[in-house]
Amino acid sequence: MFNCLPALFALVTCLLCMGFQSNAQVQLFSVLKADATYKQSTFKAIEQRYNDDIGQVKGDNKKYFKEIYKQRFDYIKSNFDMEGIVTDPAAVAYINTLVKEILVANPALQALNPRVLLYRAWWPNASSLGEGTVLVNIGIVNKFNNEAQLAFVLCHELAHLYLNHSNNAIDKYINTVYSDEFQKELKKISKQAYEKNRQLDKLAKSIAFKDRRHSREHESEADSMAIEFLKNTSFDLQQSGTALGMLDSIDNDKFNIDPPLERYFNHTAHPFSQSWLKEPEAFFGGVQHSEDDQQILDSLKTHPDCKKRVQYVTPILTRYYKPGSKQFIQEQSFREWQQVFDREAIAYAYESENVSLALYYALQALDHYPDDTWLMAMVGNSLNRMYVAQKKHMLNKIVELPSPYREKKYNRFLHFIQNISLSDIAAFSYYFMDERKTTGIKNETFLYALINSKENYNKPAEKQEWISYYKTNFTKQNFTF
Amino acid sequence: MKKVFLFCIACILCLAQLSAQEKLSIENVKSVYVRSSGEIMDGEQIKGYFSFYVSDKVSRKINEYTLQIMDENLNKVKAITFEDDKNIQILESSYNGNTIMFLFYDSKEKILEYRAYGFDGKQKMTYTKELNKRSKALIEETYGGKSEDGQNEALFSVGNKGYVTSYPVKEGKYFSYEINFFFTSQKKQWTYEAAEDQEDKFAQATYLGATDSIVLFEVMKKKGIFAGQPHSWLLALNIHNGKKAFEVITEADDYKFYPMNVSTINGKSDFLVLGTYFESDAKIMKHSSLGLASYTMNGKGAIVSKKFNSWDDQIGKYLPVNAKGKVAEVGYIYFHKILQTADGKFFAIGEGYKKVVSALGIASKIINNSNFGNRNARGVSALKLKITDLITLQFDDQFNVQNAKIYDKFSNTVEMEGGYEGVSPHIMALMAKSYGAFDYDFTLMDKEHTKFNIGYSDYERSGEDKGLTFHSISYNNGSFTEDKISLKSKAKWVKVFPAKPGFIMILEYYKKDKRLEYRLEKLN
């Protein structure tokens, strides 16, 4: 699953499509600390590298190389602008410990001077951007069972960097599509009066199929190289195979359950209605792929099948078997950071205007951590934000619409959101927070959600009472009312 | 042709506009033209949307088209690609749970074509109607005039049985119509050609609804296109074979009745016809109605019972209305819709109108009077139509008035052409309806008929939400709620379209970015 940016263009387009254009809310709900100095120095180094890359571009196609480098830089910059990069000193120190273990054992990698950054994104992925930056999503860190598996992912991304896969892919792409031969072909097609688009589609497919085939080859190469790097460390090499084996199911939710909505949102004063769970019939038979479609989709896969990847590395792993190697170097820290990241992914979804996902994850996680007052607060805050948005008829700017392409549990949850009314949202938040207030009032974020739930449910006296409580009991106040 | 909303701005997704120095790329050589987009209806409910675009040019006469089908949440569920004449366009679309039927129109070849597609995206059936020159002109002139957003005019799904269609035809001097029924389960179809036994020179059919065994139409007939008053008939055709089950005039000795809707009665072959009624000697283009009526009819076209609610009696108890149907301050009521919900209740949705003096018209008269040299300069009428508040009437299952409510809104006016001073306000209202000048936008009902939403626009001239606003009145489980959406936006323009039950689709165009943004929003 870890991505290596074989075709940056696709990634950039993809990210633009994900609606990350919003201004992130100030990190009020992050469970991590912010370190402005680290952020500034890291970004400065990335910017310096970008300027160096731009300065070194030569040749006829330098304009196009510059364009792609700019897209790559803008993508990284947008992650900084969105407060997507983890700057918490302790979290940075933790990931750097693992990176150091790998770099010290592999001087060839050390020479590349890589920057491994933790990215607050919830989806399980890691990517090597080609200019020295490796992004490791917190959504992948908390899916693995041990540090050795995470170390394999780090080695895999560093292997892409070492093998210069991203830059080679950019070279290949530009030198293909801006070659005289290709331009001649395009010119010929552009002058055609008829069947122009068919010819273009054929041409585009031929490049895409070739590009994706190379991409799959690069993945296999990076797997092999990663094992070479990992075997020099103290980590258990066998975990590489396990990590690869997990990729088929890594997109499953961390807490893989339907949120128990009836348990959370059933109150005697506002009883749960089964009609809220109703899903409409699939329109026009739903989404079906023909055999031809499936063949095209298979040819466009960027990564080889996980089973094949495991099969491919197993003999190497057996050959390199080293008794006494470790699954952890800091087990307790790993476990603790996983718990922190479970929450941080929710905070980032919330800040990224994906409130439906934040609420969904918060409800799932609450089932696992039932006494966690921060999670309770995020349920309340998400509902409160949905209430305010719905009142202005802007709910669908912060919640996703159901789609046959989505994960089934999440899609069921989105149908639930479609079925509830403005007053239901207010009531859910009010009763949910009120029932938990004894446990939660020491948590400032909880109190913020509690007070807003009173406002939305039209309980001004209760709201005032809790504002007074907040002002009396919290000397350093992050929220204003 | 208002039914299909054209995204002119989005027409050219990609166009080769390159300077000499720039190298070519696949993206800037490729051109895709969106021809039209619209709703896919299942009865009165929106089930999805389609986008119809030219995906390639195949030859001088032939294009490759892609028909992108989206569900009610705008997810792409299927793309159908086919080659056809370069002039075709889609007028309407309907879904019946098994297939989607599209009504294609080729103005150059003068062809109407109905095509049904199955879940696999393959064409299941097609029916082609070649139009003569006169019928073609008639369709182009009249199509789009009868329906509102979120409603079809020519193509309707009839449960899972099939689809019924109706379109006007002109044979010689006769203005007539043709009705077709396409069966879903079998490759069978019937056609009813009204011109075959038509006596009046003018006849126009409007689909009202269906029972298990018949499809019903209101047919307006006149001796000639410009001759006399129209007369209303109720036509029923047997669903299974297209034979006429009955055709009865709705003008009896007591009153003239003008049907607007048909409601079936659960477990019975009888059905209800709802509409406005007039004095038996009234001229409906000139005189005001007496109120609202409901006729219970049987499968043979016989009236089983009648129920009248007059302005001055039954409705007058709930509204300050005089015998002519003029409501104080509001004026007369133009009824946009009458419907029945599953709980048996009936609802009528109307909008007020009255004739008022036009300052612009008077100024125009003064200018024209001094304009001796130009006899053709007609200017603006000294009287115009003022469109006032929205009104809902609620009836029980016996069609007794239960409630009436006036929804205040800012009034707007419709200027008329000079010379229209003498026409009745009712004719002005019919003209205003054809101009799309009323503020009422649409009514959407769910398939189970348990809830509905009425949508209307209001241009507020003062207050916090000054500017264009959209209002909805929602009926759910026996109670009404109101909602208002301010359409203030940084976008160049904002338009509201009907969507799945309880939702609307907001379309915003950002001129600077050449970006068209649409999203579904739930009504409160």
Side-chain angles (χ1 to χ4, degrees):
Chain A
M1 183 55 51
F2 6 111
N3 213 326
C4 61
L5 212 65
L8 182 77
F9 350 97
L11 177 70
V12 170
T13 314
C14 182
L15 286 159
L16 289 174
C17 294
M18 288 165 75
F20 273 149
Q21 73 280 35
S22 61
N23 294 321
Q25 287 213 335
V26 188
Q27 283 178 269
L28 280 174
F29 303 106
S30 173
V31 287
L32 294 171
K33 291 189 175 75
D35 180 345
T37 317
Y38 169 80
K39 182 181 169 183
Q40 201 180 6
S41 63
T42 310
F43 182 70
K44 210 172 164 187
I46 292 168
E47 196 172 27
Q48 183 59 50
R49 170 66 192 258
Y50 165 65
N51 289 329
D52 291 348
D53 286 344
I54 291 285
Q56 284 167 21
V57 176
K58 285 178 192 149
D60 290 346
N61 294 325
K62 68 178 177 188
K63 177 186 166 187
Y64 304 104
F65 277 105
K66 280 183 180 177
E67 272 174 13
I68 289 196
Y69 288 165
K70 183 167 186 312
Q71 283 178 7
R72 177 164 72 183
F73 174 70
D74 287 346
Y75 165 62
I76 304 170
K77 184 174 179 297
S78 71
N79 286 330
F80 275 93
D81 292 344
M82 286 280 302
E83 306 296 348
I85 303 300
V86 174
T87 59
D88 184 308
V92 171
Y94 171 72
I95 196 73
N96 282 343
T97 311
L98 301 185
V99 174
K100 195 176 165 194
E101 171 78 14
I102 298 165
L103 297 189
V104 166
N106 295 283
L109 284 177
Q110 209 163 7
L112 297 172
N113 197 18
R115 277 177 302 279
V116 177
L117 307 178
L118 279 170
Y119 180 27
R120 293 171 69 214
W122 55 88
W123 59 96
N125 201 15
S127 51
S128 175
L129 303 187
E131 41 63 87
T133 307
V134 170
L135 292 181
V136 181
N137 295 10
I138 59 171
I140 201 167
V141 176
N142 56 9
K143 288 285 175 70
F144 285 130
N145 299 324
N146 53 55
E147 287 176 321
Q149 291 170 350
L150 180 57
F152 171 71
V153 171
L154 291 171
C155 286
H156 175 97
E157 297 310 324
L158 290 167
H160 279 309
L161 184 67
Y162 179 78
L163 297 166
N164 207 21
H165 281 158
S166 291
N167 294 331
N168 289 344
I170 293 172
D171 283 2
K172 203 173 180 71
Y173 174 78
I174 288 187
N175 290 325
T176 304
V177 299
Y178 298 110
S179 67
D180 289 346
E181 191 190 355
F182 194 86
Q183 286 294 307
K184 218 167 131 185
E185 182 67 21
L186 272 181
K187 208 168 175 182
K188 197 177 105 191
I189 295 172
S190 72
K191 284 181 179 168
Q192 271 180 222
Y194 307 114
E195 299 200 359
K196 197 192 278 186
N197 289 353
R198 283 182 193 175
Q199 300 291 325
L200 288 169
D201 285 345
K202 212 171 142 188
L203 197 63
K205 267 183 199 156
S206 72
I207 302 175
F209 289 159
K210 215 181 279 176
D211 176 67
R212 299 299 166 91
R213 185 164 47 80
H214 284 140
S215 168
R216 291 193 292 271
E217 285 165 9
H218 285 167
E219 290 308 312
S220 298
E221 266 177 51
D223 284 344
S224 308
M225 198 70 212
I227 291 167
E228 294 297 328
F229 292 141
L230 196 66
K231 82 172 184 350
N232 301 330
T233 69
S234 61
F235 286 115
D236 176 3
L237 205 53
Q238 298 306 311
Q239 293 306 314
S240 314
T242 324
L244 283 172
M246 289 167 75
L247 295 184
D248 266 342
S249 57
I250 204 150
D251 283 328
N252 290 347
D253 295 334
K254 169 78 182 275
F255 306 108
N256 206 7
I257 54 157
D258 275 304
L261 300 170
E262 192 164 353
R263 193 189 335 142
Y264 292 134
F265 302 132
N266 186 22
H267 192 274
T268 41
H270 190 260
F272 192 85
S273 165
Q274 290 303 318
S275 65
W276 294 332
L277 301 176
K278 210 171 148 191
E279 289 178 65
E281 248 177 58
F283 172 59
F284 205 44
V287 179
Q288 296 164 351
H289 290 305
S290 67
E291 276 181 28
D292 289 350
D293 290 342
Q294 198 51 53
Q295 262 185 6
I296 292 170
L297 289 174
D298 287 345
S299 305
L300 288 173
K301 275 184 182 170
T302 55
H303 289 60
D305 286 341
C306 296
K307 275 179 195 153
K308 282 186 188 164
R309 288 171 81 173
V310 175
Q311 270 173 12
Y312 181 71
V313 300
T314 304
I316 315 172
L317 295 177
T318 315
R319 197 164 67 235
Y320 286 152
Y321 176 68
K322 194 168 68 179
S325 55
K326 296 180 286 189
Q327 290 190 2
F328 293 98
I329 47 176
Q330 305 173 83
E331 182 171 359
Q332 200 188 337
S333 295
F334 178 74
R335 304 276 178 227
E336 281 169 5
W337 282 116
Q338 281 195 319
Q339 290 193 15
V340 171
F341 293 160
D342 285 343
R343 291 158 181 77
E344 191 62 16
I346 295 168
Y348 192 57
Y350 184 91
E351 287 169 23
S352 307
E353 314 279 297
N354 197 338
V355 178
S356 51
L357 193 70
L359 178 60
Y360 173 73
Y361 283 159
L363 290 168
Q364 283 183 324
L366 197 60
D367 196 60
H368 190 76
Y369 305 109
D371 301 321
D372 190 309
T373 51
W374 185 87
L375 286 173
M376 293 173 195
M378 287 315 286
V379 170
N381 281 317
S382 300
L383 288 167
N384 294 341
R385 202 161 157 205
M386 281 167 56
Y387 176 87
V388 172
Q390 177 56 38
K391 210 169 175 190
K392 292 182 195 162
H393 301 97
M394 290 184 176
L395 183 67
N396 283 344
K397 287 198 172 188
I398 59 164
V399 307
E400 295 179 288
L401 282 170
S403 161
Y405 299 97
R406 289 191 202 289
E407 198 271 335
K408 284 195 174 108
K409 294 192 302 307
Y410 182 50
N411 206 42
R412 279 196 286 272
F413 179 71
L414 293 176
H415 278 298
F416 166 76
I417 293 181
Q418 297 281 298
N419 293 337
I420 56 178
S421 67
L422 180 71
S423 54
D424 292 330
I425 300 171
F428 290 163
S429 180
Y430 178 80
Y431 292 115
F432 180 89
M433 297 307 292
D434 200 63
E435 281 171 350
R436 290 161 179 81
K437 62 178 184 282
T438 326
T439 326
I441 49 167
K442 286 183 183 161
N443 181 315
E444 190 186 8
T445 314
F446 182 96
L447 213 51
Y448 176 69
L450 180 75
I451 292 167
N452 284 331
S453 75
K454 309 285 181 192
E455 162 77 24
N456 296 342
Y457 206 54
N458 199 21
K459 300 280 183 187
E462 291 180 25
K463 182 188 163 190
Q464 276 313 315
E465 188 189 322
W466 285 105
I467 290 176
S468 306
Y469 175 88
Y470 177 62
K471 287 182 176 164
T472 316
N473 290 278
F474 289 83
T475 43
K476 195 184 157 216
Q477 293 160 9
N478 283 311
F479 301 103
T480 49
F481 295 98
Chain B
M1 301 221 168
K2 66 161 186 169
K3 286 293 290 116
V4 176
F5 45 94
L6 293 165
F7 292 164
C8 303
I9 308 99
C11 259
I12 301 164
L13 296 184
C14 226
L15 191 64
Q17 290 281 341
L18 295 169
S19 64
Q21 299 80 19
E22 200 105 16
K23 288 194 178 181
L24 294 167
S25 72
I26 290 176
E27 291 75 24
N28 57 32
V29 173
K30 193 167 181 171
S31 322
V32 178
Y33 301 87
V34 176
R35 186 155 277 188
S36 58
S37 302
E39 302 103 358
I40 299 173
M41 305 299 299
D42 182 0
E44 288 157 279
Q45 186 175 325
I46 287 180
K47 287 300 279 188
Y49 301 89
F50 70 85
S51 181
F52 181 54
Y53 54 92
V54 179
S55 43
D56 209 354
K57 287 180 182 174
V58 177
S59 67
R60 200 168 60 84
K61 286 187 173 174
I62 304 291
N63 282 342
E64 179 198 84
Y65 295 97
T66 299
L67 191 48
Q68 182 64 62
I69 294 167
M70 290 161 280
D71 68 11
E72 60 185 9
N73 294 313
L74 301 162
N75 298 299
K76 293 176 180 176
V77 293
K78 206 140 291 164
I80 298 166
T81 303
F82 59 90
E83 289 180 9
D84 211 317
D85 188 277
K86 68 174 182 181
N87 295 302
I88 63 158
Q89 54 180 305
I90 291 181
L91 297 186
E92 284 180 2
S93 171
S94 192
Y95 175 68
N96 74 350
N98 296 309
T99 55
I100 295 182
M101 181 169 269
F102 290 95
L103 169 54
F104 289 89
Y105 177 57
D106 186 333
S107 60
K108 193 92 183 257
E109 300 295 323
K110 300 194 280 291
I111 285 173
L112 274 181
E113 188 185 356
Y114 294 89
R115 275 186 223 165
Y117 292 93
F119 287 175
D120 54 5
K122 290 188 177 138
Q123 191 176 301
K124 298 291 174 206
M125 61 91 34
T126 177
Y127 172 78
T128 307
K129 168 75 185 175
E130 279 185 39
L131 302 169
N132 60 36
K133 205 173 162 185
R134 289 174 174 189
S135 295
K136 174 189 177 275
L138 185 61
I139 281 183
E140 289 182 357
E141 195 182 310
T142 58
Y143 180 78
K146 285 192 285 181
S147 63
E148 58 196 47
D149 280 344
Q151 281 207 340
N152 279 0
E153 174 171 327
L155 175 62
F156 308 90
S157 60
V158 181
N160 55 11
K161 286 192 173 71
Y163 301 92
V164 68
T165 77
S166 155
Y167 49 83
V169 291
K170 197 174 176 201
E171 299 288 347
K173 290 181 179 173
Y174 283 81
F175 289 81
S176 187
Y177 59 91
E178 188 175 305
I179 292 165
N180 284 278
F181 195 94
F182 307 104
F183 293 88
T184 312
S185 54
Q186 43 196 311
K187 280 190 176 176
K188 208 175 103 181
Q189 166 265 341
W190 54 251
T191 302
Y192 175 83
E193 291 176 351
E196 282 180 1
D197 56 354
Q198 188 173 317
E199 287 172 12
D200 296 297
K201 288 239 173 78
F202 177 86
Q204 188 185 43
T206 304
Y207 177 67
L208 290 174
T211 70
D212 282 347
S213 55
I214 50 174
V215 277
L216 286 144
F217 295 84
E218 187 202 19
V219 181
M220 294 297 281
K221 295 181 183 181
K222 280 203 291 183
K223 291 284 173 212
I225 183 79
F226 301 113
Q229 285 292 307
H231 300 279
S232 168
W233 293 70
L234 196 63
L235 168 71
L237 301 175
N238 184 308
I239 271 189
H240 307 289
N241 55 26
K243 297 263 188 287
K244 193 190 281 183
F246 61 82
E247 186 172 22
V248 290
I249 190 160
T250 61
E251 298 168 359
D253 294 340
D254 49 0
Y255 299 115
K256 281 182 175 174
F257 176 54
Y258 289 87
M260 289 175 71
N261 199 353
V262 160
S263 277
T264 52
I265 304 169
N266 275 346
K268 287 190 179 177
S269 60
D270 290 358
F271 57 92
L272 290 160
V273 189
L274 309 160
T276 47
Y277 70 100
F278 295 75
E279 290 287 6
S280 57
D281 58 349
K283 292 177 177 173
I284 59 150
M285 302 289 273
K286 192 176 172 189
H287 296 123
S288 51
S289 72
L290 295 175
L292 292 168
S294 150
Y295 284 19
T296 305
M297 299 181 85
N298 67 20
K300 289 178 179 164
I303 297 167
V304 178
S305 64
K306 293 178 183 178
K307 177 91 185 181
F308 297 97
N309 286 300
S310 69
W311 295 121
D312 55 346
D313 189 357
Q314 293 88 348
I315 299 172
K317 288 175 189 160
Y318 296 89
L319 283 176
V321 59
N322 69 15
K324 286 184 173 176
K326 195 168 180 181
V327 183
E329 304 297 320
V330 172
Y332 298 103
I333 303 173
Y334 183 92
F335 282 100
H336 294 289
K337 189 101 175 171
I338 299 181
L339 49 91
Q340 188 182 21
T341 48
D343 54 12
K345 289 176 183 162
F346 296 91
F347 297 89
I349 301 131
E351 204 170 349
Y353 63 90
K354 52 186 168 186
K355 207 166 155 181
V356 293
V357 171
S358 162
L360 180 68
I362 290 170
S364 163
K365 281 269 172 292
I366 295 164
I367 293 164
N368 283 334
N369 285 343
S370 60
N371 188 1
F372 300 107
N374 185 0
R375 292 170 64 88
N376 292 324
R378 301 184 69 188
V380 179
S381 166
L383 294 169
K384 63 184 176 181
L385 193 73
K386 184 174 179 181
I387 292 168
T388 62
D389 297 329
L390 199 92
I391 290 172
T392 57
L393 299 177
Q394 186 179 327
F395 306 85
D396 65 12
D397 57 354
Q398 301 300 310
F399 207 59
N400 297 308
V401 188
Q402 277 192 318
N403 204 357
K405 192 169 177 190
I406 299 173
Y407 296 86
D408 283 340
K409 61 180 172 66
F410 287 83
S411 56
N412 68 61
T413 56
V414 188
E415 299 288 352
M416 298 282 154
E417 204 178 321
Y420 276 75
E421 287 82 357
V423 305
S424 74
H426 316 304
I427 291 180
M428 282 188 175
L430 289 170
M431 291 167 73
K433 180 70 178 174
S434 70
Y435 301 157
F438 279 101
D439 291 326
Y440 166 84
D441 289 318
F442 50 78
T443 300
L444 286 175
M445 203 175 203
D446 66 338
K447 216 176 166 185
E448 294 78 27
H449 286 206
T450 56
K451 49 191 172 188
F452 63 85
N453 301 100
I454 305 161
Y456 66 95
S457 308
D458 191 11
Y459 195 90
E460 297 192 8
R461 291 190 191 87
S462 56
E464 200 184 317
D465 293 320
K466 192 177 171 187
L468 190 62
T469 56
F470 177 83
H471 294 250
S472 86
I473 303 163
S474 303
Y475 176 81
N476 192 6
N477 288 327
S479 59
F480 278 103
T481 50
E482 287 175 58
D483 194 13
K484 180 167 94 168
I485 301 172
S486 168
L487 297 178
K488 263 188 236 166
S489 166
K490 285 177 184 164
K492 168 84 176 162
W493 54 257
V494 184
K495 177 137 175 61
V496 176
F497 287 97
K500 63 182 180 175
F503 286 74
I504 50 165
M505 182 164 78
I506 300 176
L507 200 66
E508 293 175 295
Y509 174 57
Y510 296 88
K511 193 180 176 186
K512 199 177 164 192
D513 309 331
K514 290 184 180 152
R515 181 164 53 92
L516 201 58
E517 196 179 288
Y518 50 93
R519 64 179 203 276
L520 292 179
E521 285 299 347
K522 195 184 333 194
L523 295 164
N524 289 325

